[in-house]
C-alpha cells in the first residue's frame, strides 16, 4: 500500500504480519455452514450507525461475503441495522433469530459463529474494544475494529498485546482510521514526505463545530442503558471529546510529521454545555514531537462560534491544508494558503475511504497479504488519551507517564450486565462527575 511505502518510519513501526486465508466449507459452532467457494462469513458486534455502515462496506467488497451473526445490547438497534442491511444486500444477509444475540456477552456468541477464519466487525463504544478484540483474536478471527480502540492506557496496552497475538497467529486486522486510506490524503502526505514544504515545524488539528447531541432518556430505561445510548457524552465510554472526535486529525498530523509526540499540556472545560453528562465542550492541547516541533489540537462544540474541521501543517518551505474534514487537500509554497501560492491539489479519481479501508482488508485476507494496523492505530489513540489527561489534570504529562498509567476509567467491564450500575452516576441534582483541571488525578 502506497502510504506505508512512502511515509517516514515512526518510533513504533507499523505491524505487518499475515494470516491464512479463510477455507470455504467450515462448519461453525452455531450450526452455520458456508457452501460457496471462498465465501467469507462476517459477524457484526455493535449495530449502531457506524457498525451498520462498516457491515455494508464489508458486504460490498470483491468476492463472496455473507453476514451471518449480529450482536448488540439493544434489540431495537440490532433489528434496525438488520432490516437496513437486508434491504441493501438481500442475498448476503443470513442472520436468523438464533444468530441474533443480545447482552454484554453477545459478542462472544457472534464471534463464535464465524470462528476461526471469519471477519468480525467491532463497532461498540470504545470502552469495550479491548475486551472484544482479545476474544476475536483468541478465536482466530480477522478483525475490523472501528475507532477508537480504548479509553485509557490500560486499555491501550491490552489492544497492543492483542495485536501482537494476532501477529503470531497470522491474522489480518484493519482499524477505522479511514483517512489513512483516503487517496487524496495519501498523495498529499507522500509529497510532504518527499520534501515539497520542507521540514515540518508545526501542525494544527481542529474539530470545531456545533454541539454534540444527547438522546433523551427513554421511559423505564436504566442509567447504564441511557449512558451507553449516549456514549459520545461519557468519558468512561468514549475517552473524551479529544479522543472520540479528534483522533483522525491527531493521527494525520503524526503521520505527516512521521513521528509520535513525547509530551502534552493543555486545557479544557464546559462553558456553554448544560446537558447532564461528562463532556467538555472545548479542548486546547499543545504536544511536542521529539525534535521540538509542535502539534496543537483544538476541539470545540459550541453554537455561534467559528467552525473548522481539518489540519493545517507548516513546513520550512510552505504549508498544507488536509486531514479529516478536508475533501480536497491542498499544498502551498507559503504559510498563508493563498490561491496564488497553490502548488499542488489532488486531481485523481474520487475515493470512498470507508469502502477502501474495507476493500484492503478483504483483499489481504483473500490474497494472504500482510495486514495489521493495530500498533500505529493504538499509538494515534494514545495521543488523544495523553491530550485528555493533560487538559483534564492541568499538568504537563509525558508520553511515558501516560502510557504507564494504571488508572482505568471503567474497571471490571468484563463482569458488566444490563442490571449493573454504571461506573459513573449522577448526583442528587442529576449532574455527573466532570474533570476539574488542577484537581483531577490521571494516574
Amino acid at each position: 500500500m502506497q502510504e506505508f511505502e512512502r511515509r517516514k518510519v515512526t518510533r513504533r513501526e507499523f505491524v505487518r504480519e499475515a494470516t491464512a486465508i479463510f477455507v470455504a466449507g467450515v462448519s461453525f459452532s452455531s450450526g452455520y455452514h458456508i457452501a460457496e467457494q471462498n465465501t467469507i462469513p462476517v459477524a457484526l458486534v455493535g449495530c449502531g450507525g457506524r457498525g451498520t455502515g462498516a457491515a455494508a462496506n464489508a458486504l460490498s467488497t470483491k468476492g463472496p461475503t455473507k453476514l451471518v451473526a449480529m450482536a448488540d445490547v439493544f434489540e431495537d438497534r440490532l433489528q434496525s441495522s438488520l432490516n437496513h442491511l437486508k434491504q441493501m444486500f438481500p442475498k448476503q444477509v443470513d442472520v436468523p433469530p438464533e444468530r441474533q444475540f443480545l447482552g454484554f456477552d453477545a459478542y462472544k456468541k457472534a464471534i463464535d459463529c464465524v470462528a476461526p477464519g471469519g471477519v468480525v466487525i467491532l463497532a461498540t463504544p470504545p470502552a469495550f474494544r479491548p475486551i472484544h478484540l482479545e476474544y476475536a483474536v483468541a478465536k482466530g478471527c480477522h478483525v475490523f475494529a472501528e475507532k477508537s480502540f480504548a479509553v485509557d492506557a490500560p486499555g491501550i496496552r491490552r489492544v497492543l498485546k492483542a495485536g501482537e497475538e494476532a501477529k503470531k497467529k497470522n491474522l489480518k486486522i484493519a482499524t477505522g482510521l479511514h483517512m489513512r486510506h483516503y487517496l487524496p490524503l495519501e498523495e498529499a502526505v507522500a509529497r510532504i514526505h518527499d520534501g515539497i514544504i520542507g521540514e515540518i515545524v508545526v501542525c494544527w488539528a481542529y474539530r470545531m463545530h456545533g454541539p454534540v447531541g444527547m438522546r433523551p432518556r427513554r421511559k423505564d430505561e436504566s442509567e447504564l442503558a441511557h449512558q451507553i445510548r449516549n456514549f459520545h457524552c461519557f468519558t468512561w465510554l468514549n475517552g473524551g471529546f479529544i479522543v472520540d472526535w479528534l483522533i483522525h486529525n491527531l493521527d494525520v498530523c503524526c503521520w505527516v510529521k512521521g513521528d509520535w509526540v513525547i509530551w502534552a499540556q493543555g486545557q479544557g472545560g464546559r462553558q456553554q454545555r448544560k446537558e447532564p453528562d461528562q463532556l467538555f465542550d472545548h479542548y486546547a492541547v499543545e504536544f511536542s514531537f521529539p525534535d521540538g516541533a509542535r502539534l496543537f489540537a483544538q476541539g470545540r462544540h459550541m453554537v455561534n462560534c467559528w467552525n473548522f474541521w481539518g489540519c493545517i501543517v507548516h513546513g520550512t518551505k510552505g504549508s498544507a491544508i488536509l486531514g479529516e474534514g478536508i475533501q480536497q487537500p491542498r499544498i502551498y509554497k507559503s504559510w498563508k494558503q493563498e490561491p496564488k501560492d497553490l502548488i499542488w491539489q489532488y486531481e485523481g479519481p474520487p475515493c470512498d475511504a470507508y469502502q477502501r479501508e474495507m476493500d484492503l482488508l478483504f483483499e489481504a485476507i483473500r490474497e494472504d497479504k500482510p495486514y495489521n494496523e493495530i500498533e500505529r492505530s493504538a499509538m494515534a489513540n494514545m495521543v488523544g488519551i495523553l491530550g485528555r489527561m493533560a487538559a483534564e489534570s492541568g499538568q504537563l504529562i509525558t508520553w511515558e507517564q501516560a502510557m504507564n498509567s494504571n488508572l482505568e476509567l471503567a474497571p471490571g467491564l468484563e463482569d458488566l450486565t444490563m442490571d449493573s450500575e454504571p461506573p459513573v452516576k449522577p448526583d442528587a441534582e442529576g449532574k455527573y462527575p466532570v474533570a476539574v483541571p488542577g484537581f483531577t488525578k490521571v494516574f
Side-chain angles (χ1 to χ4, degrees):
M1 291 159 30
Q2 295 177 359
E3 68 194 75
F4 302 133
E5 294 170 355
R6 291 174 176 168
R7 73 181 181 88
K8 296 179 182 178
V9 177
T10 63
R11 290 186 292 122
R12 286 177 174 263
E13 293 188 353
F14 173 55
V15 181
R16 300 167 178 260
E17 291 297 333
T19 183
I21 193 168
F22 171 74
V23 179
V26 175
S27 294
F28 302 98
S29 58
S30 65
Y32 187 78
H33 183 82
I34 293 181
E36 300 95 335
Q37 183 70 22
N38 294 326
T39 297
I40 297 179
V42 178
L44 174 58
V45 178
C47 302
R50 183 73 278 272
T52 303
N57 293 139
L59 296 176
S60 299
T61 59
K62 293 181 180 179
T65 53
K66 185 162 287 189
L67 181 66
V68 303
M70 300 174 72
D72 204 287
V73 295
F74 300 119
E75 184 172 10
D76 63 302
R77 193 157 58 183
L78 189 154
Q79 293 302 324
S80 175
S81 176
L82 177 59
N83 291 336
H84 181 74
L85 291 168
K86 277 183 175 179
Q87 291 177 7
M88 293 181 67
F89 307 95
K91 295 182 179 180
Q92 293 174 260
V93 176
D94 181 15
V95 190
E98 61 267 25
R99 291 199 297 274
Q100 301 170 21
F101 304 107
L102 298 174
F104 284 101
D105 63 347
Y107 72 96
K108 294 181 179 180
K109 299 170 184 176
I111 291 171
D112 288 347
C113 286
V114 299
V119 172
V120 179
I121 297 172
L122 301 179
T124 63
F128 301 99
R129 196 79 72 250
I131 300 169
H132 298 173
L133 179 62
E134 287 173 344
Y135 190 82
V137 170
K139 290 293 184 174
C141 291
H142 309 295
V143 176
F144 174 81
E146 183 51 68
K147 69 84 185 169
S148 300
F149 315 104
V151 300
D152 48 34
I156 289 292
R157 295 196 294 268
R158 292 178 68 171
V159 166
L160 287 168
K161 185 177 179 180
E164 286 300 312
E165 288 301 311
K167 177 180 176 181
K168 295 174 184 176
K169 291 187 170 188
N170 218 12
L171 297 174
K172 321 294 184 188
I173 302 184
T175 64
L177 295 181
H178 64 285
M179 295 309 296
R180 289 276 185 153
H181 305 300
Y182 186 49
L183 285 172
L185 182 57
E186 284 188 36
E187 187 169 335
V189 173
R191 289 177 180 270
I192 292 172
H193 286 174
D194 287 340
I196 193 171
I197 62 171
E199 293 296 317
I200 303 302
V201 177
V202 63
C203 305
W204 286 270
Y206 296 94
R207 181 87 186 232
M208 320 281 273
H209 51 62
V212 175
M214 189 172 187
R215 296 180 177 92
R217 187 188 297 272
R218 298 187 175 194
K219 183 180 179 181
D220 299 325
E221 186 172 57
S222 71
E223 179 63 38
L224 178 59
H226 170 67
Q227 292 186 25
I228 292 175
R229 284 193 187 274
N230 290 280
F231 77 92
H232 289 299
C233 303
F234 290 91
T235 306
W236 73 270
L237 281 162
N238 76 344
F241 182 82
I242 193 170
V243 178
D244 194 22
W245 297 82
L246 269 78
I247 185 173
H248 292 290
N249 282 338
L250 292 172
D251 180 47
V252 168
C253 286
C254 292
W255 179 21
V256 168
K257 177 61 178 171
D259 211 342
W260 302 107
V261 299
I262 58 171
W263 58 257
Q265 69 83 24
Q267 54 194 292
R270 291 166 64 98
Q271 192 164 8
Q272 282 192 7
R273 193 166 183 81
K274 303 300 182 184
E275 285 80 358
D277 58 24
Q278 294 187 291
L279 203 60
F280 274 17
D281 58 17
H282 63 280
Y283 278 100
V285 179
E286 172 194 13
F287 301 87
S288 177
F289 291 106
D291 65 359
R294 293 294 198 266
L295 162 58
F296 292 91
Q298 292 188 46
R300 180 174 63 205
H301 53 107
M302 297 181 179
V303 298
N304 301 323
C305 294
W306 175 71
N307 293 335
F308 179 69
W309 182 16
C311 301
I312 296 177
V313 178
H314 280 185
T316 54
K317 298 192 299 182
S319 62
I321 301 177
L322 39 67
E324 190 189 29
I326 304 298
Q327 186 175 3
Q328 182 69 276
R330 302 180 297 280
I331 299 177
Y332 300 83
K333 63 180 180 181
S334 69
W335 289 353
K336 293 185 178 181
Q337 297 98 42
E338 295 180 341
K340 66 182 179 64
D341 292 329
L342 181 69
I343 55 176
W344 177 87
Q345 64 181 1
Y346 181 73
E347 297 180 353
C351 177
D352 180 344
Y354 289 107
Q355 186 59 54
R356 187 163 183 261
E357 68 180 350
M358 201 68 77
D359 289 343
L360 292 170
L361 170 62
F362 278 77
E363 178 184 287
I365 294 169
R366 293 186 184 282
E367 299 183 13
D368 197 17
K369 296 178 180 179
Y371 208 93
N372 189 320
E373 298 186 307
I374 280 293
E375 185 168 359
R376 60 110 167 134
S377 299
M379 294 287 282
N381 198 156
M382 193 63 207
V383 173
I385 291 172
L386 169 64
R388 185 201 72 229
M389 293 170 73
E392 293 187 352
S393 69
Q395 306 300 318
L396 188 151
I397 309 291
T398 68
W399 179 273
E400 288 73 18
Q401 287 175 320
M403 196 66 187
N404 292 324
S405 172
N406 289 317
L407 181 64
E408 296 183 65
L409 298 185
L413 288 185
E414 286 91 342
D415 300 323
L416 210 61
T417 71
M418 290 305 291
D419 296 323
S420 298
E421 294 292 330
V424 299
K425 301 177 186 177
D427 61 18
E429 297 179 352
K431 297 180 179 179
Y432 294 88
V434 176
V436 179
F439 296 93
T440 292
K441 304 298 181 183
V442 294
F443 300 113

